[in-house]
PDB file of all heavy atoms in Angstrom:
ATOM      1  N   ASP I 232     -30.578   1.572 -20.499  1.00  0.00           N
ATOM      2  CA  ASP I 232     -31.449   2.737 -20.368  1.00  0.00           C
ATOM      3  C   ASP I 232     -31.104   3.777 -21.430  1.00  0.00           C
ATOM      4  O   ASP I 232     -31.989   4.377 -22.051  1.00  0.00           O
ATOM      5  CB  ASP I 232     -31.269   3.330 -18.964  1.00  0.00           C
ATOM      6  CG  ASP I 232     -32.210   4.489 -18.714  1.00  0.00           C
ATOM      7  OD1 ASP I 232     -33.431   4.247 -18.652  1.00  0.00           O
ATOM      8  OD2 ASP I 232     -31.716   5.633 -18.598  1.00  0.00           O
ATOM      9  N   PHE I 233     -29.817   3.962 -21.670  1.00  0.00           N
ATOM     10  CA  PHE I 233     -29.398   4.871 -22.731  1.00  0.00           C
ATOM     11  C   PHE I 233     -29.865   4.361 -24.087  1.00  0.00           C
ATOM     12  O   PHE I 233     -30.433   5.100 -24.902  1.00  0.00           O
ATOM     13  CB  PHE I 233     -27.875   5.038 -22.732  1.00  0.00           C
ATOM     14  CG  PHE I 233     -27.384   5.738 -23.958  1.00  0.00           C
ATOM     15  CD1 PHE I 233     -27.483   7.123 -24.052  1.00  0.00           C
ATOM     16  CD2 PHE I 233     -26.881   5.035 -25.037  1.00  0.00           C
ATOM     17  CE1 PHE I 233     -27.071   7.779 -25.203  1.00  0.00           C
ATOM     18  CE2 PHE I 233     -26.469   5.685 -26.189  1.00  0.00           C
ATOM     19  CZ  PHE I 233     -26.571   7.062 -26.271  1.00  0.00           C
ATOM     20  N   MET I 234     -29.612   3.102 -24.340  1.00  0.00           N
ATOM     21  CA  MET I 234     -29.968   2.530 -25.644  1.00  0.00           C
ATOM     22  C   MET I 234     -31.463   2.665 -25.894  1.00  0.00           C
ATOM     23  O   MET I 234     -31.894   2.963 -27.024  1.00  0.00           O
ATOM     24  CB  MET I 234     -29.548   1.062 -25.697  1.00  0.00           C
ATOM     25  CG  MET I 234     -29.657   0.440 -27.077  1.00  0.00           C
ATOM     26  SD  MET I 234     -29.097  -1.292 -27.096  1.00  0.00           S
ATOM     27  CE  MET I 234     -30.509  -2.094 -26.309  1.00  0.00           C
ATOM     28  N   LYS I 235     -32.242   2.492 -24.853  1.00  0.00           N
ATOM     29  CA  LYS I 235     -33.688   2.605 -24.998  1.00  0.00           C
ATOM     30  C   LYS I 235     -34.114   4.023 -25.384  1.00  0.00           C
ATOM     31  O   LYS I 235     -35.090   4.213 -26.123  1.00  0.00           O
ATOM     32  CB  LYS I 235     -34.383   2.165 -23.709  1.00  0.00           C
ATOM     33  CG  LYS I 235     -34.421   0.658 -23.556  1.00  0.00           C
ATOM     34  CD  LYS I 235     -34.508   0.204 -22.110  1.00  0.00           C
ATOM     35  CE  LYS I 235     -35.864   0.440 -21.505  1.00  0.00           C
ATOM     36  NZ  LYS I 235     -35.910  -0.148 -20.128  1.00  0.00           N
ATOM     37  N   THR I 236     -33.369   5.018 -24.920  1.00  0.00           N
ATOM     38  CA  THR I 236     -33.740   6.382 -25.316  1.00  0.00           C
ATOM     39  C   THR I 236     -33.495   6.584 -26.802  1.00  0.00           C
ATOM     40  O   THR I 236     -34.265   7.276 -27.470  1.00  0.00           O
ATOM     41  CB  THR I 236     -32.965   7.466 -24.539  1.00  0.00           C
ATOM     42  OG1 THR I 236     -31.590   7.411 -24.901  1.00  0.00           O
ATOM     43  CG2 THR I 236     -33.105   7.294 -23.039  1.00  0.00           C
ATOM     44  N   GLU I 237     -32.448   5.963 -27.328  1.00  0.00           N
ATOM     45  CA  GLU I 237     -32.223   6.082 -28.775  1.00  0.00           C
ATOM     46  C   GLU I 237     -33.322   5.334 -29.528  1.00  0.00           C
ATOM     47  O   GLU I 237     -33.870   5.832 -30.503  1.00  0.00           O
ATOM     48  CB  GLU I 237     -30.849   5.521 -29.169  1.00  0.00           C
ATOM     49  CG  GLU I 237     -29.677   6.393 -28.744  1.00  0.00           C
ATOM     50  CD  GLU I 237     -28.506   6.314 -29.742  1.00  0.00           C
ATOM     51  OE1 GLU I 237     -28.680   6.743 -30.912  1.00  0.00           O
ATOM     52  OE2 GLU I 237     -27.443   5.830 -29.352  1.00  0.00           O
ATOM     53  N   ILE I 238     -33.588   4.124 -29.057  1.00  0.00           N
ATOM     54  CA  ILE I 238     -34.598   3.315 -29.758  1.00  0.00           C
ATOM     55  C   ILE I 238     -35.958   4.011 -29.736  1.00  0.00           C
ATOM     56  O   ILE I 238     -36.697   4.013 -30.731  1.00  0.00           O
ATOM     57  CB  ILE I 238     -34.673   1.907 -29.135  1.00  0.00           C
ATOM     58  CG1 ILE I 238     -33.368   1.155 -29.404  1.00  0.00           C
ATOM     59  CG2 ILE I 238     -35.871   1.124 -29.680  1.00  0.00           C
ATOM     60  CD1 ILE I 238     -33.250  -0.182 -28.697  1.00  0.00           C
ATOM     61  N   ALA I 239     -36.280   4.636 -28.606  1.00  0.00           N
ATOM     62  CA  ALA I 239     -37.601   5.247 -28.461  1.00  0.00           C
ATOM     63  C   ALA I 239     -37.845   6.293 -29.553  1.00  0.00           C
ATOM     64  O   ALA I 239     -38.926   6.345 -30.158  1.00  0.00           O
ATOM     65  CB  ALA I 239     -37.734   5.872 -27.070  1.00  0.00           C
ATOM     66  N   VAL I 240     -36.842   7.130 -29.801  1.00  0.00           N
ATOM     67  CA  VAL I 240     -36.989   8.153 -30.836  1.00  0.00           C
ATOM     68  C   VAL I 240     -37.195   7.507 -32.198  1.00  0.00           C
ATOM     69  O   VAL I 240     -38.086   7.890 -32.970  1.00  0.00           O
ATOM     70  CB  VAL I 240     -35.732   9.046 -30.888  1.00  0.00           C
ATOM     71  CG1 VAL I 240     -35.857  10.061 -32.022  1.00  0.00           C
ATOM     72  CG2 VAL I 240     -35.527   9.737 -29.555  1.00  0.00           C
TER      73      VAL I 240
END
Side-chain angles (χ1 to χ4, degrees):
Chain I
D232 184 67
F233 169 79
M234 190 178 76
K235 283 154 73 175
T236 67
E237 288 213 64
I238 293 173
V240 177

